[in-house]
Structures are given as structure tokens and as C-alpha cells.
Amino acid sequence: MAIEPITENELYHYTPEQLTSLLYDSCLARLGQAAIALEHGEYLEVNRQLQTCHDILHRLGGGLNYEAGLIADQLEALYQYMAERLVYANVHKDRSAVLEVHKLLATIQDAWTAACRKRKDAQPVSARMRAKAYDTEYDFAAGNVNLRE
């Protein structure tokens, strides 16, 4: 799975929920790349991918909202565990540890996606319409209106 670059300008239009999803996507893709590189003995690539995943996990941990209660503490512990497993996988070239982290993170991502979808669906129609009003871009010079989805 290729990781498509995102411009800085595009990032400013993302919600915190979307940014978290992007981090999950990127980390999962890189874990997959690391697992393939391990199969082929490409250890420099493995190291590069796993270090990036380690950094992503720390960013995810740093973005936790501890006012959310116990779930934030549990996610922090999971992120820390996964980061430790990636260090182990990198040092010992252990593909099973990479796959374990991939499976855990995919489960967390699935739950995150479902929670975001449920939250969006739970918004009243009037709130969704007000939020969508800000998704309209006007190019007055060209006379174009672009509705972003």
C-alpha cells in the first residue's frame, strides 16, 4: 500500500479525528512495508519504517485527551506496549512482533473509525448543516464554487 503525501495546506482542513485516522493509516501501511522488507532481508528499510512507526505511536499517545477518562490511560498503555514491541522487532528482526503490532493497531483503528462514524451520525441535522457550511470554497475570480466532501 503506497502512502500518498499530503500537503501542509490540506492538513489545515482536517479535523483532529481525521488526523488521527491518517496517523493510523500511515502506521499500518509502514508496518506492512516493514514486514515485507523483513522477508527480503532489507534491514535498513525495516529500521526506517519501524522508527517512523515508533514516532507515530508516540504522537498518538501525545494527542490523547485524558479528560476522556480510563480509555485514554488504556490507549496510552497500548501505544507504549506497541512502541516497545517495535523496538524489540527492530533489534531482533522479529516479523511476528511487527505483525502483532499491526493486528493491535488495526483493531484500534477499526474501533476509532466506528466511533467517529457513530459520533457523526449522532449529530443533529442542524449541526451537520452548520458544519458543512464551512466546507464551501469560493473562487470569485473564476466564478467557481467548490464543495468539498
Side-chain angles (χ1 to χ4, degrees), residues 1 5-6 8-9 12 16 21 23 25 40 44 47 58 62 98 102 111 116 125 130-131 134 137 141 145:
M1 173 190 285
I6 298 171
E8 185 176 341
N9 190 40
Y12 287 120
S21 292
L23 288 172
D25 290 342
H40 295 108
L44 288 175
N47 181 57
H58 280 288
V98 173
H102 189 282
C116 288
V125 173
R130 278 193 309 271
Y134 295 103
E137 291 182 2
V145 176

Side-chain angles (χ1 to χ4, degrees), residues 26-44:
S26 178
C27 194
L28 288 168
R30 291 173 184 282
L31 288 168
Q33 292 170 357
I36 291 169
L38 271 170
E39 286 178 353
H40 295 108
E42 298 169 0
Y43 298 124
L44 288 175

Side-chain angles (χ1 to χ4, degrees), residues 8-79:
E8 185 176 341
N9 190 40
E10 289 175 318
L11 285 176
Y12 287 120
H13 292 95
Y14 281 55
T15 65
E17 292 85 4
Q18 291 171 318
L19 291 172
T20 299
S21 292
L22 285 174
L23 288 172
Y24 287 144
D25 290 342
S26 178
C27 194
L28 288 168
R30 291 173 184 282
L31 288 168
Q33 292 170 357
I36 291 169
L38 271 170
E39 286 178 353
H40 295 108
E42 298 169 0
Y43 298 124
L44 288 175
E45 180 64 12
V46 171
N47 181 57
R48 190 174 70 80
Q49 297 296 345
L50 292 183
Q51 283 186 1
T52 301
C53 290
H54 192 269
D55 291 345
I56 290 171
L57 288 171
H58 280 288
R59 289 179 191 277
L60 286 165
L64 289 172
N65 176 4
Y66 289 94
E67 293 176 9
L70 183 60
I71 188 73
D73 293 328
Q74 292 172 335
L75 277 172
E76 179 184 32
L78 269 171
Y79 292 150

